């Protein structure tokens, strides 16, 4: 099955190769199409199968030419024009552009000057001192490449949560439709909502295991059967591996707890059980207090739990620990002491501070975005288009004059809206931690989100000082995607999260959990660290179109991984409290 993410990746590759070849304008059109294809709420491949060409062309940014390429890829598995571009520029673009500071244009230049096609080629050229000899490069760039090679080689092995979880939902829907399936759930890192996952793990309870496996590998969404046996099977759907394990119903709860992990959580929980005369494994919880040799077998002792996951924790006198917390960061001790957090949920969210429109790099109008927010039942909604500044390309950023013009339009739309519309801006945190907005603009705005978009290769001390200075700025309400990372693309700033959290707490600045699945920045452990310092967080979508307001799902679960409760999240507060926070 061709997924929307797979189609989007092809158009992003188109954009990169065209940019590497020096083509102007077209790359942006392909990137816009890629974003809209990725965010489309239903599988676009289904439109191809039903011959609904008009529906494909109606997707924003997808005209006749790109629609033809979508049809070609779904029907043949390739795009002739893309293959021609690959032949002209045989660059492993996805890998090479994961190096911080190496974009498509740089990759194209290194190919033309040095014949660099792969990461191995890039490493060899850097180690030989050849890169610093190319015009426009230097020793610092060359060393940066060497420093980032390991990151570039490892991150590409994992899938983004935002691409894998929708597939996991489809897997569950299919499994639930099978008559022989009594219960099913995803497991592994995807159930813990990690930012990236290795594959999709699914677990089924059934008394007809072989029958379920046969139906699973015959599912019409499966592109390739990797392996199958009497208790498990692995297939490939699009570019993602899906592993299914089937168990008898009475062992579903213990298997779910075991295969959800994490490994560190399970080890600590098993040790906790051993101290209490218990034994835990994928087959159940066993009382082994009267057993001479508890390690004599997997099912030794009296089985006291296993049918349900909650029962596994209850057997140890613990409340069930939410999957997002199972990372061995103090959750077992908190459970024992009755101190598990009441985690934030999607229903707690009342608004969004960080969204974009066609005034900068968004895809639609202020009015359309506000209407979409109202349909979600939000109480308030912030428009925060890009201000001009470092890291903002071309005419995408707004000048002070343009910001003031936009504020007028935002106010006009807000007068007729069903919710409170906040006039905001996404300012740019420069290399020194400053933002470039006039006092007049600052006074007119309701919310200022300030984000890093440049100088992302700073050392940890410099980066920390930069972010602390931004957090201390009284004009800044929300420090947006603080590290500037792009998952599987660039690592972003390395900084002292605790120090930045402390500064944010002292100066009433919220730190953002950016919900874009390519960012998820802050991430779980960082959220936990800043909350421990007393800093508030804001879960924002960074949406560029109505469909991506759904990104809030990823942000909420990321905040949950950081132990966030509703009171910790500014955009769960009522409007009066938000207004007070925004000064």
């Amino acid at each position: 099955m061709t997924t929307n993410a797979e189609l989007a990746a092809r158009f992003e590759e188109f954009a990169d190769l065209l940019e590497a070849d020096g083509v102007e304008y077209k790359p942006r059109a392909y990137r816009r199409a890629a974003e809209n294809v990725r965010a489309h709420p239903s599988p676009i491949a289904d439109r191809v199968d039903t011959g609904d060409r008009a529906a494909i062309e109606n997707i924003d940014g997808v005209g006749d030419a790109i629609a033809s390429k979508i049809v070609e890829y779904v029907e043949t598995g390739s795009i002739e024009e893309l293959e021609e571009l690959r032949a002209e520029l045989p660059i492993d673009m996805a890998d090479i552009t994961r190096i911080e500071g190496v974009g498509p244009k740089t990759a194209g230049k290194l190919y033309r000057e040095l014949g660099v096609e792969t990461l191995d080629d890039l490493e060899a050229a850097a180690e030989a001192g050849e890169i610093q000899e190319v015009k426009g490069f230097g020793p610092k760039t060359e060393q940066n490449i060497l420093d980032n090679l390991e990151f570039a080689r490892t991150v590409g092995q994992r899938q983004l949560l935002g691409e894998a979880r929708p597939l996991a939902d489809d897997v569950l829907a299919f499994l639930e439709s099978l008559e022989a399936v009594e219960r099913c759930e995803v497991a592994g890192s995807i159930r813990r909502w990690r930012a990236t996952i290795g594959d999709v793990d699914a677990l089924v309870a059934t008394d007809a295991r072989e029958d379920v496996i046969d139906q699973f590998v015959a599912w019409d969404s499966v592109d390739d059967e990797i392996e199958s046996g009497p208790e498990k099977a692995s297939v490939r759907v699009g570019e993602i591996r899906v592993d299914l394990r089937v168990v008898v119903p009475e062992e579903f709860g213990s298997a779910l707890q075991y295969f959800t992990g994490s490994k560190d959580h399970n080890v600590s929980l098993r040790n906790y059980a051993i101290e209490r005369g218990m034994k835990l494994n994928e087959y159940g919880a066993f009382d082994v207090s009267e057993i001479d040799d508890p390690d004599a077998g997997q099912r030794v002792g009296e089985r006291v739990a296993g049918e349900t996951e909650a029962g596994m924790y209850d057997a140890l006198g613990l409340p069930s620990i939410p999957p997002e917390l199972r990372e061995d960061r103090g959750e077992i001790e908190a459970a024992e002491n009755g101190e598990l957090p009441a985690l934030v949920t999607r229903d707690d969210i009342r608004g969004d501070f960080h969204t974009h429109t066609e005034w900068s790099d968004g895809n639609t109008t202020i009015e359309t975005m506000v209407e979409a927010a109202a349909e979600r039942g939000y109480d308030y909604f912030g428009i925060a288009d890009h201000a001009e500044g470092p890291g903002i390309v071309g005419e995408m950023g707004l000048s002070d004059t343009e910001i003031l013009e936009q504020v007028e339009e935002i106010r006009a739309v807000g007068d007729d809206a069903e919710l409170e519309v906040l006039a905001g801006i996404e300012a740019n945190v420069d290399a020194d931690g400053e933002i470039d907005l006039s006092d007049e603009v600052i006074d007119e705005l309701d919310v200022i989100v300030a984000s890093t978009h440049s100088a992302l290769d700073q050392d940890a001390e410099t980066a920390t000082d930069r972010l602390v200075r931004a957090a201390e700025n009284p004009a800044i309400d929300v420090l947006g995607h603080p590290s500037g990372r792009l998952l599987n693309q660039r690592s972003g700033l390395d900084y002292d999260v605790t120090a930045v959290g402390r500064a944010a707490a002292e100066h009433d600045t919220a730190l953002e959990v950016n919900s874009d699945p390519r960012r998820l920045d802050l991430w779980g452990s960082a959220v936990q660290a800043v909350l421990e310092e007393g800093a508030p967080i804001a879960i924002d979508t960074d949406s560029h179109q109505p469909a991506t307001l759904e990104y809030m799902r990823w942000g909420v679960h990321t905040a949950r991984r950081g132990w966030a409760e509703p009171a910790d999240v500014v955009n769960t507060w009522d409007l009066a409290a938000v207004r007070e926070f925004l000064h």
Side-chain angles (χ1 to χ4, degrees), residues 14-37:
F14 251 118
D16 287 346
L17 289 171
L18 289 169
E19 187 175 335
D21 203 30
V23 176
E24 297 183 0
Y25 307 119
K26 270 191 173 183
R28 185 171 182 180
Y30 275 108
R31 290 200 172 94
R32 181 182 179 189
E35 182 174 5
N36 292 329
V37 164

PDB file of all heavy atoms in Angstrom, residues 14-37:
ATOM      1  N   PHE A  14      12.143  15.155  -4.936  1.00  0.00           N
ATOM      2  CA  PHE A  14      12.059  15.998  -6.135  1.00  0.00           C
ATOM      3  C   PHE A  14      12.599  17.394  -5.811  1.00  0.00           C
ATOM      4  O   PHE A  14      13.440  17.947  -6.537  1.00  0.00           O
ATOM      5  CB  PHE A  14      10.601  16.125  -6.590  1.00  0.00           C
ATOM      6  CG  PHE A  14      10.284  15.390  -7.861  1.00  0.00           C
ATOM      7  CD1 PHE A  14       9.362  14.360  -7.858  1.00  0.00           C
ATOM      8  CD2 PHE A  14      10.875  15.752  -9.058  1.00  0.00           C
ATOM      9  CE1 PHE A  14       9.046  13.686  -9.024  1.00  0.00           C
ATOM     10  CE2 PHE A  14      10.570  15.084 -10.230  1.00  0.00           C
ATOM     11  CZ  PHE A  14       9.641  14.045 -10.216  1.00  0.00           C
ATOM     12  N   ALA A  15      12.066  17.983  -4.735  1.00  0.00           N
ATOM     13  CA  ALA A  15      12.442  19.342  -4.362  1.00  0.00           C
ATOM     14  C   ALA A  15      13.938  19.446  -4.089  1.00  0.00           C
ATOM     15  O   ALA A  15      14.612  20.384  -4.544  1.00  0.00           O
ATOM     16  CB  ALA A  15      11.647  19.780  -3.132  1.00  0.00           C
ATOM     17  N   ASP A  16      14.481  18.480  -3.361  1.00  0.00           N
ATOM     18  CA  ASP A  16      15.905  18.507  -3.021  1.00  0.00           C
ATOM     19  C   ASP A  16      16.781  18.405  -4.268  1.00  0.00           C
ATOM     20  O   ASP A  16      17.768  19.131  -4.415  1.00  0.00           O
ATOM     21  CB  ASP A  16      16.236  17.359  -2.061  1.00  0.00           C
ATOM     22  CG  ASP A  16      15.712  17.598  -0.655  1.00  0.00           C
ATOM     23  OD1 ASP A  16      15.326  18.744  -0.355  1.00  0.00           O
ATOM     24  OD2 ASP A  16      15.672  16.634   0.132  1.00  0.00           O
ATOM     25  N   LEU A  17      16.429  17.493  -5.158  1.00  0.00           N
ATOM     26  CA  LEU A  17      17.239  17.306  -6.365  1.00  0.00           C
ATOM     27  C   LEU A  17      17.155  18.525  -7.276  1.00  0.00           C
ATOM     28  O   LEU A  17      18.155  18.942  -7.872  1.00  0.00           O
ATOM     29  CB  LEU A  17      16.792  16.046  -7.102  1.00  0.00           C
ATOM     30  CG  LEU A  17      17.150  14.724  -6.416  1.00  0.00           C
ATOM     31  CD1 LEU A  17      16.475  13.547  -7.107  1.00  0.00           C
ATOM     32  CD2 LEU A  17      18.662  14.518  -6.389  1.00  0.00           C
ATOM     33  N   LEU A  18      15.987  19.120  -7.399  1.00  0.00           N
ATOM     34  CA  LEU A  18      15.848  20.330  -8.215  1.00  0.00           C
ATOM     35  C   LEU A  18      16.639  21.480  -7.610  1.00  0.00           C
ATOM     36  O   LEU A  18      17.295  22.242  -8.328  1.00  0.00           O
ATOM     37  CB  LEU A  18      14.365  20.707  -8.340  1.00  0.00           C
ATOM     38  CG  LEU A  18      13.510  19.791  -9.222  1.00  0.00           C
ATOM     39  CD1 LEU A  18      12.040  20.113  -9.043  1.00  0.00           C
ATOM     40  CD2 LEU A  18      13.914  19.912 -10.692  1.00  0.00           C
ATOM     41  N   GLU A  19      16.585  21.603  -6.287  1.00  0.00           N
ATOM     42  CA  GLU A  19      17.348  22.657  -5.623  1.00  0.00           C
ATOM     43  C   GLU A  19      18.841  22.425  -5.791  1.00  0.00           C
ATOM     44  O   GLU A  19      19.603  23.371  -6.032  1.00  0.00           O
ATOM     45  CB  GLU A  19      16.980  22.697  -4.132  1.00  0.00           C
ATOM     46  CG  GLU A  19      17.589  23.873  -3.388  1.00  0.00           C
ATOM     47  CD  GLU A  19      17.118  23.956  -1.949  1.00  0.00           C
ATOM     48  OE1 GLU A  19      16.025  23.452  -1.641  1.00  0.00           O
ATOM     49  OE2 GLU A  19      17.857  24.541  -1.140  1.00  0.00           O
ATOM     50  N   ALA A  20      19.265  21.185  -5.680  1.00  0.00           N
ATOM     51  CA  ALA A  20      20.683  20.856  -5.877  1.00  0.00           C
ATOM     52  C   ALA A  20      21.139  21.188  -7.290  1.00  0.00           C
ATOM     53  O   ALA A  20      22.313  21.507  -7.524  1.00  0.00           O
ATOM     54  CB  ALA A  20      20.920  19.377  -5.584  1.00  0.00           C
ATOM     55  N   ASP A  21      20.208  21.130  -8.221  1.00  0.00           N
ATOM     56  CA  ASP A  21      20.517  21.408  -9.624  1.00  0.00           C
ATOM     57  C   ASP A  21      20.399  22.890  -9.956  1.00  0.00           C
ATOM     58  O   ASP A  21      20.562  23.289 -11.114  1.00  0.00           O
ATOM     59  CB  ASP A  21      19.580  20.598 -10.522  1.00  0.00           C
ATOM     60  CG  ASP A  21      20.154  20.371 -11.911  1.00  0.00           C
ATOM     61  OD1 ASP A  21      21.396  20.307 -12.042  1.00  0.00           O
ATOM     62  OD2 ASP A  21      19.361  20.252 -12.857  1.00  0.00           O
ATOM     63  N   GLY A  22      20.095  23.708  -8.941  1.00  0.00           N
ATOM     64  CA  GLY A  22      20.022  25.142  -9.153  1.00  0.00           C
ATOM     65  C   GLY A  22      18.698  25.650  -9.678  1.00  0.00           C
ATOM     66  O   GLY A  22      18.589  26.819 -10.064  1.00  0.00           O
ATOM     67  N   VAL A  23      17.668  24.813  -9.690  1.00  0.00           N
ATOM     68  CA  VAL A  23      16.348  25.226 -10.173  1.00  0.00           C
ATOM     69  C   VAL A  23      15.664  26.084  -9.108  1.00  0.00           C
ATOM     70  O   VAL A  23      15.681  25.750  -7.923  1.00  0.00           O
ATOM     71  CB  VAL A  23      15.481  23.992 -10.511  1.00  0.00           C
ATOM     72  CG1 VAL A  23      14.080  24.413 -10.915  1.00  0.00           C
ATOM     73  CG2 VAL A  23      16.132  23.172 -11.606  1.00  0.00           C
ATOM     74  N   GLU A  24      15.062  27.190  -9.531  1.00  0.00           N
ATOM     75  CA  GLU A  24      14.357  28.063  -8.600  1.00  0.00           C
ATOM     76  C   GLU A  24      12.845  27.836  -8.676  1.00  0.00           C
ATOM     77  O   GLU A  24      12.325  27.339  -9.663  1.00  0.00           O
ATOM     78  CB  GLU A  24      14.680  29.533  -8.909  1.00  0.00           C
ATOM     79  CG  GLU A  24      16.161  29.880  -8.721  1.00  0.00           C
ATOM     80  CD  GLU A  24      16.425  31.349  -8.957  1.00  0.00           C
ATOM     81  OE1 GLU A  24      15.468  32.086  -9.255  1.00  0.00           O
ATOM     82  OE2 GLU A  24      17.598  31.756  -8.853  1.00  0.00           O
ATOM     83  N   TYR A  25      12.153  28.204  -7.622  1.00  0.00           N
ATOM     84  CA  TYR A  25      10.684  28.204  -7.529  1.00  0.00           C
ATOM     85  C   TYR A  25      10.087  26.794  -7.465  1.00  0.00           C
ATOM     86  O   TYR A  25       9.266  26.509  -6.589  1.00  0.00           O
ATOM     87  CB  TYR A  25      10.048  28.981  -8.694  1.00  0.00           C
ATOM     88  CG  TYR A  25      10.602  30.382  -8.834  1.00  0.00           C
ATOM     89  CD1 TYR A  25      11.253  30.780  -9.992  1.00  0.00           C
ATOM     90  CD2 TYR A  25      10.493  31.293  -7.786  1.00  0.00           C
ATOM     91  CE1 TYR A  25      11.784  32.065 -10.114  1.00  0.00           C
ATOM     92  CE2 TYR A  25      11.016  32.581  -7.894  1.00  0.00           C
ATOM     93  CZ  TYR A  25      11.657  32.951  -9.055  1.00  0.00           C
ATOM     94  OH  TYR A  25      12.171  34.202  -9.163  1.00  0.00           O
ATOM     95  N   LYS A  26      10.426  25.912  -8.406  1.00  0.00           N
ATOM     96  CA  LYS A  26       9.826  24.577  -8.410  1.00  0.00           C
ATOM     97  C   LYS A  26      10.016  23.825  -7.097  1.00  0.00           C
ATOM     98  O   LYS A  26       9.086  23.150  -6.623  1.00  0.00           O
ATOM     99  CB  LYS A  26      10.373  23.753  -9.571  1.00  0.00           C
ATOM    100  CG  LYS A  26       9.583  23.861 -10.855  1.00  0.00           C
ATOM    101  CD  LYS A  26      10.050  22.810 -11.850  1.00  0.00           C
ATOM    102  CE  LYS A  26       9.150  22.802 -13.078  1.00  0.00           C
ATOM    103  NZ  LYS A  26       9.550  21.730 -14.026  1.00  0.00           N
ATOM    104  N   PRO A  27      11.207  23.874  -6.483  1.00  0.00           N
ATOM    105  CA  PRO A  27      11.362  23.136  -5.218  1.00  0.00           C
ATOM    106  C   PRO A  27      10.325  23.505  -4.173  1.00  0.00           C
ATOM    107  O   PRO A  27       9.800  22.636  -3.479  1.00  0.00           O
ATOM    108  CB  PRO A  27      12.781  23.513  -4.772  1.00  0.00           C
ATOM    109  CG  PRO A  27      13.507  23.783  -6.036  1.00  0.00           C
ATOM    110  CD  PRO A  27      12.490  24.460  -6.922  1.00  0.00           C
ATOM    111  N   ARG A  28      10.003  24.794  -4.068  1.00  0.00           N
ATOM    112  CA  ARG A  28       9.025  25.201  -3.057  1.00  0.00           C
ATOM    113  C   ARG A  28       7.652  24.621  -3.375  1.00  0.00           C
ATOM    114  O   ARG A  28       6.905  24.228  -2.481  1.00  0.00           O
ATOM    115  CB  ARG A  28       8.953  26.728  -2.983  1.00  0.00           C
ATOM    116  CG  ARG A  28       8.031  27.207  -1.870  1.00  0.00           C
ATOM    117  CD  ARG A  28       8.111  28.698  -1.650  1.00  0.00           C
ATOM    118  NE  ARG A  28       7.245  29.105  -0.549  1.00  0.00           N
ATOM    119  CZ  ARG A  28       7.112  30.358  -0.135  1.00  0.00           C
ATOM    120  NH1 ARG A  28       7.795  31.326  -0.728  1.00  0.00           N
ATOM    121  NH2 ARG A  28       6.314  30.652   0.871  1.00  0.00           N
ATOM    122  N   ALA A  29       7.302  24.564  -4.685  1.00  0.00           N
ATOM    123  CA  ALA A  29       6.008  23.999  -5.066  1.00  0.00           C
ATOM    124  C   ALA A  29       5.934  22.524  -4.687  1.00  0.00           C
ATOM    125  O   ALA A  29       4.905  22.043  -4.193  1.00  0.00           O
ATOM    126  CB  ALA A  29       5.801  24.174  -6.563  1.00  0.00           C
ATOM    127  N   TYR A  30       7.033  21.788  -4.918  1.00  0.00           N
ATOM    128  CA  TYR A  30       7.047  20.364  -4.555  1.00  0.00           C
ATOM    129  C   TYR A  30       6.990  20.184  -3.045  1.00  0.00           C
ATOM    130  O   TYR A  30       6.330  19.253  -2.550  1.00  0.00           O
ATOM    131  CB  TYR A  30       8.292  19.687  -5.126  1.00  0.00           C
ATOM    132  CG  TYR A  30       8.120  19.218  -6.545  1.00  0.00           C
ATOM    133  CD1 TYR A  30       8.758  19.864  -7.612  1.00  0.00           C
ATOM    134  CD2 TYR A  30       7.321  18.115  -6.838  1.00  0.00           C
ATOM    135  CE1 TYR A  30       8.598  19.428  -8.919  1.00  0.00           C
ATOM    136  CE2 TYR A  30       7.156  17.674  -8.146  1.00  0.00           C
ATOM    137  CZ  TYR A  30       7.793  18.332  -9.179  1.00  0.00           C
ATOM    138  OH  TYR A  30       7.624  17.894 -10.476  1.00  0.00           O
ATOM    139  N   ARG A  31       7.650  21.064  -2.298  1.00  0.00           N
ATOM    140  CA  ARG A  31       7.610  20.931  -0.836  1.00  0.00           C
ATOM    141  C   ARG A  31       6.213  21.241  -0.301  1.00  0.00           C
ATOM    142  O   ARG A  31       5.763  20.613   0.655  1.00  0.00           O
ATOM    143  CB  ARG A  31       8.655  21.852  -0.198  1.00  0.00           C
ATOM    144  CG  ARG A  31      10.079  21.377  -0.452  1.00  0.00           C
ATOM    145  CD  ARG A  31      11.086  21.953   0.527  1.00  0.00           C
ATOM    146  NE  ARG A  31      12.376  21.297   0.322  1.00  0.00           N
ATOM    147  CZ  ARG A  31      13.343  21.748  -0.448  1.00  0.00           C
ATOM    148  NH1 ARG A  31      13.187  22.897  -1.080  1.00  0.00           N
ATOM    149  NH2 ARG A  31      14.475  21.079  -0.598  1.00  0.00           N
ATOM    150  N   ARG A  32       5.571  22.207  -0.903  1.00  0.00           N
ATOM    151  CA  ARG A  32       4.205  22.517  -0.484  1.00  0.00           C
ATOM    152  C   ARG A  32       3.293  21.325  -0.772  1.00  0.00           C
ATOM    153  O   ARG A  32       2.468  20.938   0.070  1.00  0.00           O
ATOM    154  CB  ARG A  32       3.694  23.753  -1.229  1.00  0.00           C
ATOM    155  CG  ARG A  32       2.279  24.151  -0.824  1.00  0.00           C
ATOM    156  CD  ARG A  32       1.802  25.352  -1.620  1.00  0.00           C
ATOM    157  NE  ARG A  32       0.440  25.715  -1.241  1.00  0.00           N
ATOM    158  CZ  ARG A  32      -0.283  26.613  -1.879  1.00  0.00           C
ATOM    159  NH1 ARG A  32       0.224  27.257  -2.926  1.00  0.00           N
ATOM    160  NH2 ARG A  32      -1.508  26.883  -1.479  1.00  0.00           N
ATOM    161  N   ALA A  33       3.438  20.731  -1.944  1.00  0.00           N
ATOM    162  CA  ALA A  33       2.634  19.549  -2.278  1.00  0.00           C
ATOM    163  C   ALA A  33       2.932  18.415  -1.310  1.00  0.00           C
ATOM    164  O   ALA A  33       2.020  17.719  -0.843  1.00  0.00           O
ATOM    165  CB  ALA A  33       2.916  19.116  -3.712  1.00  0.00           C
ATOM    166  N   ALA A  34       4.217  18.227  -0.985  1.00  0.00           N
ATOM    167  CA  ALA A  34       4.602  17.150  -0.067  1.00  0.00           C
ATOM    168  C   ALA A  34       3.951  17.331   1.291  1.00  0.00           C
ATOM    169  O   ALA A  34       3.428  16.374   1.883  1.00  0.00           O
ATOM    170  CB  ALA A  34       6.124  17.101   0.081  1.00  0.00           C
ATOM    171  N   GLU A  35       3.949  18.559   1.799  1.00  0.00           N
ATOM    172  CA  GLU A  35       3.356  18.814   3.119  1.00  0.00           C
ATOM    173  C   GLU A  35       1.864  18.520   3.113  1.00  0.00           C
ATOM    174  O   GLU A  35       1.326  17.908   4.048  1.00  0.00           O
ATOM    175  CB  GLU A  35       3.608  20.262   3.524  1.00  0.00           C
ATOM    176  CG  GLU A  35       3.080  20.596   4.901  1.00  0.00           C
ATOM    177  CD  GLU A  35       3.457  21.990   5.366  1.00  0.00           C
ATOM    178  OE1 GLU A  35       4.058  22.739   4.576  1.00  0.00           O
ATOM    179  OE2 GLU A  35       3.142  22.335   6.515  1.00  0.00           O
ATOM    180  N   ASN A  36       1.183  18.937   2.050  1.00  0.00           N
ATOM    181  CA  ASN A  36      -0.259  18.719   1.985  1.00  0.00           C
ATOM    182  C   ASN A  36      -0.614  17.254   1.758  1.00  0.00           C
ATOM    183  O   ASN A  36      -1.627  16.764   2.271  1.00  0.00           O
ATOM    184  CB  ASN A  36      -0.864  19.586   0.880  1.00  0.00           C
ATOM    185  CG  ASN A  36      -0.787  21.060   1.205  1.00  0.00           C
ATOM    186  OD1 ASN A  36      -0.831  21.448   2.366  1.00  0.00           O
ATOM    187  ND2 ASN A  36      -0.645  21.898   0.198  1.00  0.00           N
ATOM    188  N   VAL A  37       0.203  16.561   0.990  1.00  0.00           N
ATOM    189  CA  VAL A  37      -0.015  15.124   0.778  1.00  0.00           C
ATOM    190  C   VAL A  37       0.186  14.370   2.088  1.00  0.00           C
ATOM    191  O   VAL A  37      -0.616  13.507   2.459  1.00  0.00           O
ATOM    192  CB  VAL A  37       0.927  14.599  -0.321  1.00  0.00           C
ATOM    193  CG1 VAL A  37       0.997  13.077  -0.294  1.00  0.00           C
ATOM    194  CG2 VAL A  37       0.466  15.082  -1.690  1.00  0.00           C
TER     195      VAL A  37
END
